[in-house]
Amino acid sequence: MSKAVNDIQVPDEIRQSALNVRDNAYVPYSDHPVGAVLISESGKTYAGCNVESANYKGLCAEASAIAGLVSSGERAIRTIYVIGPGEDLCTPCGDCRQRIREFATPQTDIVVLDGNGAPLKHYTMDELLPDSFGPENLNKTSGMR
Ligand SMILES: [Zn+2]
């Protein structure tokens, strides 16, 4: 079940990491910088930003952070924070909802921050991508499953 905004704690180091990585985004085409910071099941932190290219096939911030998780040999997301440039909700895109789903558990917290790093909204995986298709549908396991 989603948590009320007032019940969401964003540790200072996570907030700072989210702001820093968002500010490193390479977004000359969209001018829409996004950062993602995830905490793995082991408690390590992985950060990523969006990286665009001239052919308009950019890499999302969430994908960038997940690449770090997987590249380090980890497979499970405990919490993922997403920060956009402004005050509006910058929720994960459809592709990233599926990417997060691959490494999420029913307990994974998805938190969208405002441009200053304050929490705007919390989602469970099922709220972010209801009735999702995942590894179990192929009789595979991933993350904590
Ligand atoms: Zn995305």
Side-chain angles (χ1 to χ4, degrees):
M1 207 172 137
S2 63
K3 297 176 185 171
V5 169
N6 291 340
D7 293 336
I8 303 168
Q9 303 295 323
V10 182
D12 283 345
E13 65 271 21
I14 295 294
R15 179 177 169 276
Q16 199 55 56
S17 177
L19 290 167
N20 290 345
V21 75
R22 191 266 324 268
D23 290 347
N24 285 334
Y26 178 74
V27 290
Y29 308 104
S30 73
D31 197 29
H32 187 82
V34 180
V37 178
L38 71 82
I39 302 172
S40 70
E41 281 297 331
S42 77
K44 287 189 186 153
T45 298
Y46 300 90
C49 60
N50 50 343
V51 181
E52 296 178 349
S53 56
N55 65 352
Y56 282 79
K57 291 183 179 175
L59 176 70
C60 290
E62 299 92 326
S64 178
I66 288 170
L69 172 88
V70 174
S71 299
S72 297
E74 296 210 62
R75 296 288 185 268
I77 301 169
R78 185 189 298 166
T79 306
I80 183 165
Y81 300 89
V82 179
I83 184 171
E87 301 312 305
D88 297 329
L89 266 181
C90 182
T91 50
C93 74
D95 281 352
C96 286
R97 290 175 194 223
Q98 187 69 46
R99 286 189 187 99
I100 295 167
R101 167 66 173 84
E102 186 72 22
F103 303 104
T105 73
Q107 290 74 41
T108 294
D109 292 305
I110 299 115
V111 180
V112 177
L113 307 174
D114 72 12
N116 295 314
L120 275 178
K121 195 160 181 180
H122 169 273
Y123 302 87
T124 63
M125 191 66 245
D126 196 51
E127 290 166 340
L128 195 67
L129 191 64
D131 300 325
S132 63
F133 186 88
E136 326 68 62
N137 295 98
L138 300 173
N139 292 318
K140 302 284 185 186
T141 57
S142 173
M144 297 298 288
R145 292 170 204 282

